[in-house]
Amino acid sequence: MTRESSTARKIAARPAFWLSAAVAAIGAWALTTPSAAQEGIKIPAPVRDAPAQGNSAVAVLAGGCFWGVQGVFQHVEGVTNAVSGYAGGDKQTAQYNVVGSGSTGHAESVRITFDPHKISYGQILQVYFSVAHDPTELNRQGPDTGTQYRSTIFPADAEQAKVAKAYVAQLDKAKVFDAAIATTIEPGRAFYKAEDYHQDFLTLNPTYPYIVYNDLPKIENLKRLFPDRYRSDPVLVSEAKASN
């Protein structure tokens, strides 16, 4: 993790009076540092997909900073909740300040709950590869570096693992991207919810420099490339919690 991105990210937990000063200081960095994140591109739907079973299914995906990935899927029709968290490591190390060391095995991840009769697992992956992140970057995403920002799919079962593996092979064979997909598939990993101040961060902080520069373009790409799946009002963790 770069020092600049670490500083930018941690200000979310600071008092309001410190926050305004920090945002001003980081703003110049966020707007002048080139982003390596690939722009959203149109990609084919997966040939193999998971069958719709039950009224609810879960996908856990990692693609860099969870703020943007969560924000994207909160705007996807058929998604009923998207929670930021950690996957890939142990429960004891599922804490932001510890995960930031890059030595825990965790990746910043998002647990996406969706209605499989409205959007399939394969369609979730299509959004993930197309607009949520750049799957060709290895152990980094845009300005953030380290294994905690790796591109990873954490399948819930064997069928999801097969769909994910087949889709990566399909996209690589079609040479959709300029480089090979670096996304790993890591089954059998538990998901741990992140701290409350990370939830709904994109929606609650739309003028935050990191969000403006790195994540709001993803929302625009979602709207442009998937107009039939885009929802203008995001489904928020706070609202899902209140309805339970």
Side-chain angles (χ1 to χ4, degrees):
M1 174 171 54
T2 62
R3 180 181 62 82
E4 293 89 349
S5 62
S6 175
T7 302
R9 304 282 300 287
K10 291 186 192 316
I11 70 172
R14 303 292 185 174
F17 73 91
W18 192 89
L19 178 62
S20 59
V23 166
I26 292 166
W29 162 78
L31 296 176
T32 58
T33 300
S35 174
Q38 184 170 317
E39 292 294 330
I41 62 172
K42 187 175 183 179
I43 64 174
V47 173
R48 176 170 183 162
D49 207 341
Q53 295 181 343
N55 296 321
S56 183
V58 172
V60 177
L61 306 172
C65 174
F66 43 27
W67 292 346
V69 178
Q70 180 192 46
V72 165
F73 284 101
Q74 287 179 323
H75 280 279
V76 173
E77 283 286 358
V79 170
T80 57
N81 201 7
V83 179
S84 290
Y86 314 103
D90 298 328
K91 181 178 180 180
Q92 293 79 2
T93 57
Q95 304 169 40
Y96 183 69
N97 289 337
V98 181
V99 171
S101 69
S103 62
T104 65
H106 281 296
E108 290 195 13
S109 309
V110 177
R111 183 181 64 202
I112 303 153
T113 305
F114 62 98
D115 182 342
H117 296 284
K118 294 183 178 180
I119 185 169
S120 69
Y121 179 68
Q123 290 170 333
I124 290 285
L125 293 183
Q126 187 180 17
V127 172
Y128 167 71
F129 282 117
S130 177
V131 302
H133 79 310
D134 179 353
T136 68
E137 293 192 317
L138 178 64
N139 295 331
R140 66 169 296 128
Q141 202 64 211
D144 300 317
T145 61
T147 57
Q148 68 272 32
Y149 299 113
R150 69 187 183 273
S151 173
T152 301
I153 297 170
F154 297 97
D157 52 35
E159 181 60 27
Q160 284 193 358
K162 290 177 182 177
V163 170
K165 184 177 180 180
Y167 197 28
V168 169
Q170 175 189 338
L171 295 176
D172 269 340
K173 183 178 180 180
K175 298 188 183 303
V176 172
F177 300 100
D178 293 336
I181 291 174
T183 307
T184 60
I185 300 171
E186 303 178 24
R189 302 292 187 175
F191 174 88
Y192 305 98
K193 182 174 181 269
E195 297 81 355
D196 286 345
Y197 63 83
H198 286 302
Q199 307 303 333
D200 303 332
F201 196 91
L202 184 148
T203 297
L204 296 175
N205 301 274
T207 61
Y208 188 62
Y210 184 98
I211 294 295
V212 171
Y213 190 63
N214 296 289
D215 296 331
L216 290 187
K218 298 177 183 180
I219 307 300
E220 290 303 311
N221 286 330
L222 173 67
K223 185 176 181 180
R224 173 175 59 88
L225 294 170
F226 300 96
D228 57 331
R229 295 180 196 160
Y230 173 78
R231 56 184 296 169
S232 57
D233 295 327
V235 55
L236 303 179
V237 174
S238 56
E239 292 176 352
K241 187 184 301 183
S243 63
N244 291 336

